[in-house]
Amino acid sequence: MVSRIVTLLLAGAVSSAALAASQAPPKVVAKVRTGGFPCAEVGGFGFVWISRSGSSSIARIDPRTNRVAGKPIPVGGQPCGLAVGGGAVWVDGYGTNTIERIDPRRLRVVASIKVGVQPYDVLYAAGSVWSSDNLSGWVSRIDPRRNRVVARIRTGGAPAGLTFAAGSVWVGSNSGTSLFRIDPATNRVRRIDVGQAWPAWLEASQDGVWVSNVMAGTVSRIDPATDAVGSPVKVGSQPVDGVVGQDRLVWVPDLTDNTITRIDPATDSVVDTFKVGPGPFVLTAAFGDVWAASYRGADVWRLHAP
């Protein structure tokens, strides 16, 4: 999905105990009604862009007013994953087997690019657009200058979430226990066994890659220097696509429990868990806050960590 790579400031002189003790529960700044079963969000071009899976459209939230701006932008299928890069907004067209390119000035789709079957996420990184093609078992690499697929990279598994870290494209899978690491210089793939069921959704920080193991209800940290996998952290029933917040914590939504859990990366321990809207699926950090779309609801929550 969308790459939400946020610079994680290491604790440094602040001890992990002091960091955890300083965390107050996040404040709900706004609940913005978008309708249309909002799935994911991404910040860019002065707005938070929201994919509305139930109405085949993209909405924009103005972060200055916390209101939906203008009319929705029609797209195909059941859009979810979003990315910003190369002067465009990119949308995965689940159900249409396309990645769609939106011009943020003209507010319309200007290219539809055929990829594999059921793209789950989209990422802009290393000068390319990447699509995880879930039922094809590969990742499509798109040249954004030509709006065409230039490589189909077979990973195996069921490619799901995407992120970029340590010079690699990381690909989750909602089957098995392995995820995949692609070298964009060669398109070569390295398999990493996480040892947890369905390591599907990924987020990068300065000191690791975090993976939500959907069927295990855990989160694991991977050291990108060695590919070593840390001990799993139990977070809930169905953890999905998280983000590193401006509070330096790892935020992980749970699609079933309707919660977000925050993890202290200094200790790999849970700081707190709190309720949000129904079915939070994808989180993003933008405009100083964390945004959580209610995939089974009709609104997007804006959350601020003191």
Side-chain angles (χ1 to χ4, degrees), residues 34-38 51-59 72-79:
T34 61
F37 296 99
S51 56
R52 305 196 311 168
S53 180
S55 62
S56 301
S57 63
I58 306 298
I73 303 166
V75 294
Q78 298 169 283

Side-chain angles (χ1 to χ4, degrees), residues 3-28:
S3 172
R4 294 167 300 281
I5 300 176
V6 181
T7 302
L8 178 63
L9 303 175
L10 298 180
V14 181
S15 71
S16 61
L19 176 62
S22 70
Q23 301 302 325
K27 175 185 176 182
V28 179

Side-chain angles (χ1 to χ4, degrees), residues 7-267:
T7 302
L8 178 63
L9 303 175
L10 298 180
V14 181
S15 71
S16 61
L19 176 62
S22 70
Q23 301 302 325
K27 175 185 176 182
V28 179
V29 176
K31 299 178 185 178
V32 185
R33 187 168 183 82
T34 61
F37 296 99
C39 186
E41 54 299 271
V42 69
F45 307 105
F47 295 92
V48 177
W49 302 71
I50 309 296
S51 56
R52 305 196 311 168
S53 180
S55 62
S56 301
S57 63
I58 306 298
R60 295 177 304 146
I61 295 174
D62 186 337
R64 297 166 299 180
T65 63
N66 293 321
R67 294 181 178 179
V68 173
K71 296 180 179 180
I73 303 166
V75 294
Q78 298 169 283
C80 188
L82 293 167
V84 167
V89 178
W90 305 86
V91 186
D92 78 43
Y94 183 87
T96 63
N97 304 334
T98 62
I99 297 297
E100 295 184 293
R101 178 176 187 153
I102 294 175
D103 184 322
R105 296 180 300 277
R106 290 185 284 173
L107 300 178
R108 65 180 183 87
V109 173
V110 293
S112 293
I113 305 154
K114 281 292 182 182
V115 290
V117 181
Q118 290 190 355
Y120 257 44
D121 202 3
V122 62
L123 171 72
Y124 186 92
S128 297
V129 179
W130 307 78
S131 168
S132 58
D133 303 334
N134 187 261
L135 292 187
S136 294
W138 67 55
V139 171
S140 294
R141 183 174 187 171
I142 297 167
D143 181 346
R145 295 168 298 177
R146 294 182 288 168
N147 292 328
R148 58 171 293 189
V149 172
V150 293
R152 298 193 191 277
I153 305 165
R154 185 160 293 281
T155 58
L162 299 168
T163 198
F164 187 78
S168 297
V169 174
W170 299 70
V171 186
S173 175
N174 62 358
S175 70
T177 62
S178 294
L179 54 78
F180 310 94
R181 182 174 182 173
I182 299 173
D183 180 350
T186 63
N187 290 338
R188 291 180 179 172
V189 178
R190 187 157 72 243
R191 178 187 293 264
I192 301 171
D193 189 357
V194 180
Q196 300 281 295
W198 291 28
W201 300 102
L202 300 157
E203 181 52 48
S205 69
Q206 193 173 29
D207 65 343
V209 173
W210 299 81
V211 54
S212 293
N213 308 304
V214 175
M215 297 304 289
T218 61
V219 174
S220 301
R221 179 183 5 199
I222 301 168
D223 181 347
T226 64
D227 290 348
V229 181
S231 298
V233 180
K234 182 65 177 176
V235 293
S237 301
Q238 194 177 359
V240 277
D241 202 351
V243 72
V244 178
Q246 286 86 346
D247 57 1
R248 301 178 288 179
L249 302 180
V250 180
W251 297 48
V252 183
D254 192 293
L255 190 63
T256 301
D257 294 347
N258 304 330
T259 60
I260 293 173
T261 295
R262 295 190 297 171
I263 298 171
D264 182 349
T267 61

